[in-house]
Amino acid sequence: MKLLPAILILGLATCSHADEVASRIVGYNVVDCPAGSDTIVSVPFHLPASFSGAVNGTPSANGSEVTITPKASPTFAANEFTTEAHYVQFVGAGARAGWTFAVSSHTASSITIDAGSEDLSDLADGDRFEVIPHWTLATLFPQATQTALHQSDSKLSTGRKSRILFFDETTAGISLAPDRVYFLTADGWFQSTAGLPAADDVVVPPGKAFVIRHPATETATEFIPHQVVVESSWSAPLEVRAAGRQDNAVALVRPIPVKLSDLGLGAAFEESADNAGPNRADELLVYDNLQAAVNKAPSKVYFRAAGEWRLDDGSTYPPADDHEVLPSTGLVVRKAAGASDDTLRWLNTPTYQ
């Protein structure tokens, strides 16, 4: 993998309603995508925020929906955050810093998010947040200018070339096959399923890994994600199943290499009693994107024991705290079976602040 963060300080305060204006860090990475291979990638950047503000008073809850009224009484245009999909990311020092939630609706003066099963009663007056456009297939890989994918000649299976595959996030178990496949033609993005629905607006969720798959008949390319650096803490859910081990395809949202000791998995990652396989608890699976293979196995498996990271090399299990996770790559956290189904949270704090 080429690693070219090229982080720049630019005046990128493009929020139309921002209550404070500040320069933001922007940058890019370059990831090699070999021919005839799956490249497991992610996007450690987000699009410029459409709004930046702070919670005013106590948010109101109605089932899974939570409505936030921002301070400074902004006025939002109709469908400003819903014509294009947006999400809210809490930033700063609040209890939910780093958490993201999809915007489900808004009025001229309030924003409603889908909190799912989360109880957000700990949101406090003054907690800061940003409203950010989701990456979609069309904005991340625009048909007219992108070069990371080989455009398909037609919608027919015989005419398809590069594909994007999304990991299965709902099925219980490990080594799960991708459950959604997309391809790009001269007419835009389409899903490889019955009816071939248009897919330009399919969301690429923040902090999630996905796969670029090149056929062996095409050449290698480069995936070059770029935009605004995630400067705040970052939180991602990790699912635990009582029925057995569970894979969670995730991504590190940092544009620089990060040591395992700085990942911050902490309480969300169960330590193993010792090096022995039968006593293994949680594992971190890392993939070698320069290895040309489809449905590739992880190149390295890490676990924690006695308060440190260790590499499963099958024999000596050397310490691995200083091993690094490269930017723009995908990871799998394999959670050990729990006493009950549960969702834990991984909280990563940037090392460049």
Side-chain angles (χ1 to χ4, degrees), residues 47-64:
L47 291 164
S50 300
F51 173 77
S52 175
V55 175
N56 185 32
T58 303
S60 62
N62 181 14
S64 64

Side-chain angles (χ1 to χ4, degrees), residues 161-180:
K161 295 183 179 179
S162 299
R163 294 168 172 83
I164 295 292
L165 295 80
F166 285 167
F167 288 96
D168 185 344
E169 295 186 323
T170 59
T171 303
I174 63 173
S175 301
L176 302 172
D179 64 347
R180 290 172 294 155

Side-chain angles (χ1 to χ4, degrees), residues 273-288:
D274 52 45
N275 295 333
N279 297 324
R280 185 66 51 82
D282 292 353
E283 295 177 323
L284 177 66
L285 282 56
V286 179
Y287 297 83
D288 181 1

Side-chain angles (χ1 to χ4, degrees), residues 9-348:
I9 304 296
L10 296 179
L12 237 167
T14 58
C15 301
S16 55
H17 310 279
D19 61 359
E20 66 176 34
V21 177
S23 295
R24 300 298 299 269
I25 303 174
V26 300
Y28 69 93
N29 286 323
V30 181
V31 181
D32 291 315
C33 301
S37 184
D38 288 348
T39 307
I40 302 174
V41 300
S42 65
V43 185
F45 308 100
H46 65 75
L47 291 164
S50 300
F51 173 77
S52 175
V55 175
N56 185 32
T58 303
S60 62
N62 181 14
S64 64
E65 295 197 325
V66 174
T67 299
I68 299 167
T69 301
K71 291 183 180 294
S73 302
T75 300
F76 303 126
N79 302 317
E80 184 171 351
F81 306 137
T82 53
T83 299
E84 295 181 43
H86 282 66
Y87 63 95
V88 163
Q89 179 176 348
F90 291 97
V91 298
R96 297 289 174 153
W99 292 51
T100 62
F101 300 93
V103 174
S104 55
S105 64
H106 70 87
T107 67
S109 58
S110 67
I111 301 167
T112 299
I113 59 177
D114 182 359
S117 60
E118 296 293 341
D119 177 5
L120 300 187
S121 59
D122 54 356
L123 285 177
D125 181 83
D127 282 354
R128 299 203 57 78
F129 66 93
E130 295 181 335
V131 184
I132 301 171
H134 270 293
W135 286 110
T136 65
L137 290 176
T139 56
L140 188 57
F141 301 101
Q143 188 275 331
T145 58
Q146 69 84 34
T147 58
L149 305 172
H150 295 287
Q151 184 172 291
S152 297
D153 296 327
S154 70
K155 297 179 187 178
L156 298 175
S157 59
T158 55
R160 296 177 199 170
K161 295 183 179 179
S162 299
R163 294 168 172 83
I164 295 292
L165 295 80
F166 285 167
F167 288 96
D168 185 344
E169 295 186 323
T170 59
T171 303
I174 63 173
S175 301
L176 302 172
D179 64 347
R180 290 172 294 155
V181 180
Y182 301 91
F183 61 96
L184 179 64
T185 75
D187 296 319
W189 280 95
F190 295 90
Q191 185 176 2
S192 179
T193 190
L196 300 177
D200 279 1
D201 296 330
V202 166
V203 165
V204 180
K208 294 294 185 180
F210 58 95
V211 176
I212 295 175
R213 175 172 290 177
H214 286 335
T217 53
E218 301 298 329
T219 58
T221 66
E222 293 177 334
F223 173 50
I224 310 177
H226 63 93
Q227 263 297 349
V228 183
V229 172
V230 180
E231 299 177 54
S232 69
S233 296
W234 177 263
S235 178
L238 299 175
E239 300 299 328
V240 180
R241 307 285 188 185
R245 301 173 75 80
Q246 181 64 39
D247 280 356
N248 295 266
V250 294
L252 185 67
V253 297
R254 307 303 172 194
I256 59 174
V258 176
K259 293 180 180 180
L260 297 185
S261 58
D262 292 327
L263 287 180
L265 278 164
F269 199 90
E270 182 182 350
E271 288 203 357
S272 299
D274 52 45
N275 295 333
N279 297 324
R280 185 66 51 82
D282 292 353
E283 295 177 323
L284 177 66
L285 282 56
V286 179
Y287 297 83
D288 181 1
N289 279 333
L290 295 182
Q291 175 194 6
V294 174
N295 297 321
K296 64 179 63 175
S299 59
K300 293 181 180 178
V301 177
Y302 296 98
F303 63 99
R304 287 184 60 83
E308 67 178 3
W309 284 98
R310 298 180 183 176
L311 172 65
D312 186 352
D313 65 351
S315 57
T316 61
Y317 307 101
D321 279 355
D322 290 337
H323 288 206
E324 292 181 329
V325 174
L326 296 179
S328 296
T329 57
L331 307 169
V332 170
V333 175
R334 179 165 289 173
K335 295 293 296 177
S340 61
D341 290 354
D342 196 5
T343 301
L344 303 180
R345 301 294 303 200
W346 168 26
L347 183 64
N348 173 263

